[in-house]
Amino acid sequence: APAFADVTSEQVWQSWVDYYSSAGYQIKEGKREQAGDTLTITDVTVSTEDGDPATTGQMTLTVPQITMTETGDGKVRTVYADQMTGSFSGTDSDARDFSANFTVDVAGNAMVTSGAAEDMTHELDYPVMDIALTTMKSDGKEQPLPIRVSLKNSTGKMHNVAGATAKYDYDFKSERLTFSGDVVTDENDGKVKFDGDMAGLEMVGQMSLPSGQDMAGDMNAALKAGLIANGTVKFGATAAMFDFAAEPVDGQAQTAAGKYDAKGFDLTFAMSQDGLGYQGNSDAAAFELTTSDVPFPIKYAAESASFDIQLPVMKADAAQPFKFAYSLGGLTLGD
């Protein structure tokens, strides 16, 4: 008869530490406290490995508290603090240092883990996930950077099996995604406002990672050892707009405005030592643009579009397959 498998809070936490470490992150704990069936970890930081800021940048996320409670039926319920804070920094294309802070609000979040130490299933429920930036510092000067991305009613499942080759598969859905911003773009006080709304977001995928491999530190070695990853992202009906204005140059005002509407889009990727591939498909979409640089509005639409890119990732003596394909169906242009 099948045995009833249990997981403990310690095992669930170690599973996440192992996962993020394999992806190239450092995990640090402030304090750990066990009280009965509840494990509480405070002041947790998740950060990227030290690297060249000009090419990789640096990112740190701080979680004030993580509470992991054994529910008595072999499962563990994990709840993160309602708000996390983070920062990222790096060097831009003009060799100027930049940094910015952000917050992540996840009120009402919960994740339930079941299975066994070597075979876990995590089921998550996030009623809201808001990511917000406020300011950015560049070359020693701070300027506003109000950008917000929100996900509503997100649910998902992640299954991981430990072993000589760890296996992960995930399925994630969000009811709605919205984004907005009001950004200063240059020294001429150029400003761009934008916002968008997406009805539905889905992500599914799988990954096989041989033990002892660091994807971020040495992707080449991980691929040679047998790293395999694939997945699909699907977007629902999307509407977005932007409005740009800047101080006059040579007496002429600099303005632009545009909007985009699409019924849906999907993107599939696959990566292994055999190559890297991306495939995308779009349903009907339309775009409109007016700008002070062009004396007439630009409009176009397509009933469908697709692309397919396949390319090698490993050095070889013999020629390897390469592919690029692109198509537009039902293209129409404004007068």
Side-chain angles (χ1 to χ4, degrees):
F4 184 74
D6 290 352
V7 289
T8 67
S9 53
E10 291 274 359
Q11 291 169 339
V12 173
W13 173 243
Q14 189 60 47
S15 171
W16 286 113
V17 171
D18 293 343
Y19 173 75
Y20 282 106
S21 296
S22 69
Y25 293 92
Q26 293 178 327
I27 312 294
K28 294 182 180 180
E29 303 174 23
K31 183 180 179 181
R32 181 186 296 207
E33 186 174 322
Q34 183 80 47
D37 57 10
T38 300
L39 172 66
T40 302
I41 305 173
T42 55
D43 299 326
V44 177
T45 61
V46 183
S47 58
T48 54
E49 298 276 4
D50 293 337
D52 181 0
T55 57
T56 61
Q58 302 293 316
M59 190 281 294
T60 299
L61 179 69
T62 300
V63 187
Q65 180 172 294
I66 302 174
T67 304
M68 313 181 83
T69 304
E70 297 172 14
T71 59
D73 56 357
K75 300 177 181 180
V76 172
R77 186 174 188 268
T78 301
V79 175
Y80 294 90
D82 285 352
Q83 186 178 82
M84 313 174 200
T85 58
S87 64
F88 61 89
S89 61
T91 305
D92 64 19
S93 58
D94 295 322
R96 296 177 301 185
D97 294 335
F98 69 86
S99 63
N101 298 322
F102 62 90
T103 59
V104 182
D105 290 291
V106 287
N109 74 90
M111 178 174 64
V112 176
T113 302
S114 59
E118 304 298 313
D119 189 336
M120 293 186 187
T121 298
H122 313 277
E123 297 181 74
L124 62 90
D125 184 1
Y126 286 11
V128 63
M129 184 185 299
D130 288 334
I131 304 170
L133 288 79
T134 54
T135 60
M136 173 177 281
K137 183 179 291 186
S138 178
D139 201 24
K141 299 179 181 179
E142 189 171 83
Q143 64 184 30
L145 188 69
I147 295 177
R148 179 179 293 273
V149 179
S150 299
L151 291 167
K152 180 182 178 183
N153 292 336
S154 300
T155 58
K157 180 184 293 185
M158 180 174 176
H159 178 218
N160 60 282
V161 179
T165 298
K167 297 184 180 296
Y168 304 89
D169 60 81
Y170 59 89
D171 187 340
F172 178 88
K173 296 180 180 179
S174 287
E175 180 181 302
R176 183 170 296 276
L177 182 150
T178 59
F179 57 89
S180 62
D182 188 352
V183 181
V184 176
T185 61
D186 54 37
E187 296 179 356
N188 294 324
D189 292 328
K191 293 183 179 180
V192 59
K193 294 183 179 181
F194 61 87
D195 63 65
D197 187 290
M198 183 182 297
L201 170 67
E202 299 181 24
M203 295 186 291
V204 296
Q206 301 83 35
M207 180 175 70
S208 297
L209 177 64
S211 62
Q213 300 300 316
D214 179 357
M215 292 185 295
D218 194 342
M219 178 64 77
N220 181 57
L223 287 168
K224 286 182 177 178
L227 169 65
I228 299 174
N230 60 75
T232 299
V233 181
K234 294 182 179 180
F235 305 91
T238 302
M241 60 75 64
F242 78 90
D243 195 331
F244 169 79
E247 292 295 322
V249 176
D250 296 331
Q252 180 179 0
Q254 303 293 301
T255 62
K259 64 179 183 178
Y260 171 80
D261 290 284
K263 290 185 177 180
F265 180 82
D266 65 79
L267 174 67
T268 299
F269 79 93
M271 178 177 64
S272 70
Q273 60 182 328
D274 295 328
L276 175 67
Y278 289 96
Q279 292 178 296
N281 298 281
S282 172
D283 295 329
F287 180 74
E288 296 182 15
L289 172 68
T290 56
T291 170
S292 56
D293 293 332
V294 179
F296 53 84
I298 298 172
K299 297 182 180 181
Y300 66 84
E303 294 179 2
S304 64
S306 68
F307 69 87
D308 185 354
I309 302 173
Q310 311 285 333
L311 64 157
V313 295
M314 311 287 291
K315 180 181 178 180
D317 293 330
Q320 301 180 68
F322 168 81
K323 178 182 181 181
F324 177 76
Y326 181 76
S327 72
L328 282 173
L331 177 66
T332 57
L333 302 175
D335 293 338

